[in-house]
Amino acid sequence: MISFFRKIRQKLLQQNRVTQYLAYAIGEIFLVVIGILIALQVNNWNESRKSRNFEQEILSLIDQNLSRDSSVIAAELQKALIANATTDSILDQVEKGVFEENLYVWMAKVIRFERFKSQSSGFEVLKSKGIDVISDKDLQIDLINYYDEVLFRLNQAILDVENSFNVDWIPVVKSEFYDFDYEDRLEPRNLEDFFKNPSHIVLFKMFQDNREGSISRMEIALAEISSLRTSIKNQLK
């Protein structure tokens, strides 16, 4: 094709038809420019398509991660709510002077801690590629807020409960209990004497108050996940 155009230009020069030669040369340049522009446009379209496909794939993975987070948090939230409600039942029964074996089971529901580890593989991949892969700027901000702020505060709140369990309760369990079956049964050496110790009642109240913080953070996280998944589903349509 190039040799064909060259022959035409040479023929025009040989015939001393300079004006036609210039017009032809300009036309040829114009065609080359148009060809380059079309090639660039096709390349840009391909890159845009690849970027959009990746965005869809990564958002789908993040949505799966968020679904798993939601399930785990909801389950742990339910346990935490039961624990705090059970604490009220324990304190109420003890205040009435009723020391029965149901307290063994109730204490096992209270003297425990919640566990949670976020599934963040999708967000980690996104960060490695660049958060601007997500075309929706508001969704970018919301994802960063969830993974860097909401989860941080949630993990801190859950860790506070675990630390309280290890620091406050484990020494008491070791010295005051002879049966410890985590989440199922806790039996003090002397049930009545145990609850007549004011420091033990204070422990229950402090632990309940500490757990309120994790309950609040779990509720915030669930609301944030719900909002995020709605936004992601709108992008996946």
Side-chain angles (χ1 to χ4, degrees):
M1 182 64 72
I2 295 175
S3 62
F4 173 75
F5 288 138
R6 187 183 298 115
K7 288 178 180 178
I8 294 177
R9 290 198 305 272
Q10 289 174 348
K11 184 176 181 181
L12 290 173
L13 285 174
Q14 290 171 357
Q15 295 174 355
N16 203 26
R17 296 162 67 182
V18 177
T19 302
Q20 287 183 327
Y21 172 82
L22 292 175
Y24 179 82
I26 292 171
E28 186 177 333
I29 293 171
F30 177 77
L31 288 175
V32 171
V33 170
I34 292 297
I36 292 173
L37 291 175
I38 292 174
L40 288 174
Q41 185 63 32
V42 170
N43 183 66
N44 289 339
W45 180 84
N46 285 333
E47 290 301 316
S48 178
R49 179 176 57 82
K50 289 178 182 178
S51 178
R52 180 58 179 166
N53 287 341
F54 176 76
E55 179 184 13
Q56 293 284 295
E57 291 171 2
I58 202 64
L59 284 177
S60 180
L61 178 56
I62 290 174
D63 185 59
Q64 293 174 34
N65 291 166
L66 291 173
S67 176
R68 186 264 183 188
D69 279 6
S70 180
S71 296
V72 175
I73 293 172
E76 294 304 304
L77 173 60
Q78 187 62 25
K79 292 177 183 178
L81 290 170
I82 290 173
N84 271 10
T86 303
T87 300
D88 289 333
S89 298
I90 290 172
L91 295 177
D92 182 63
Q93 184 166 314
V94 168
E95 187 177 357
K96 293 175 181 177
V98 180
F99 303 100
E100 297 179 348
E101 287 199 5
N102 64 309
L103 289 173
Y104 300 151
V105 177
W106 285 2
M107 281 191 288
K109 302 301 180 187
V110 172
I111 305 174
R112 59 174 304 280
F113 57 89
E114 289 67 53
R115 296 180 173 91
F116 170 68
K117 181 174 176 58
S118 175
Q119 182 65 261
S120 58
S121 58
F123 187 68
E124 293 302 319
V125 172
L126 175 62
K127 286 198 299 183
S128 70
K129 296 293 184 179
I131 193 72
D132 57 347
V133 167
I134 305 301
S135 55
D136 187 318
K137 301 304 180 184
D138 290 334
L139 181 53
Q140 288 182 21
I141 294 171
D142 291 341
L143 283 170
I144 293 171
N145 178 63
Y146 172 72
Y147 284 101
D148 290 351
E149 181 68 20
V150 174
L151 283 185
F152 173 78
R153 293 185 179 277
L154 171 59
N155 288 328
Q156 284 298 112
I158 289 177
L159 185 60
D160 286 345
V161 175
E162 182 179 351
N163 288 339
S164 180
F165 172 85
N166 291 324
V167 173
D168 300 327
W169 276 113
I170 289 298
V172 173
V173 170
K174 287 180 177 179
S175 63
E176 302 285 344
F177 288 69
Y178 70 81
D179 187 13
F180 179 80
D181 190 0
Y182 188 73
E183 292 190 342
D184 290 325
R185 182 181 177 87
L186 284 122
E187 188 172 340
R189 290 188 174 88
N190 186 299
L191 185 61
E192 188 169 346
D193 286 348
F194 177 81
F195 279 107
K196 284 185 176 179
N197 186 332
S199 65
H200 295 160
I201 300 300
V202 170
L203 267 183
F204 276 102
K205 292 180 178 179
M206 287 177 58
F207 203 47
Q208 182 184 46
D209 186 62
N210 210 0
R211 186 174 263 124
E212 283 292 340
S214 68
I215 288 173
S216 175
R217 289 299 168 185
M218 283 189 275
E219 290 173 339
I220 290 172
L222 286 174
E224 187 69 20
I225 289 173
S226 178
S227 176
L228 273 172
R229 295 193 71 198
T230 298
S231 297
I232 288 173
K233 282 179 171 54
N234 289 336
Q235 292 298 312
L236 292 175
K237 289 179 179 179

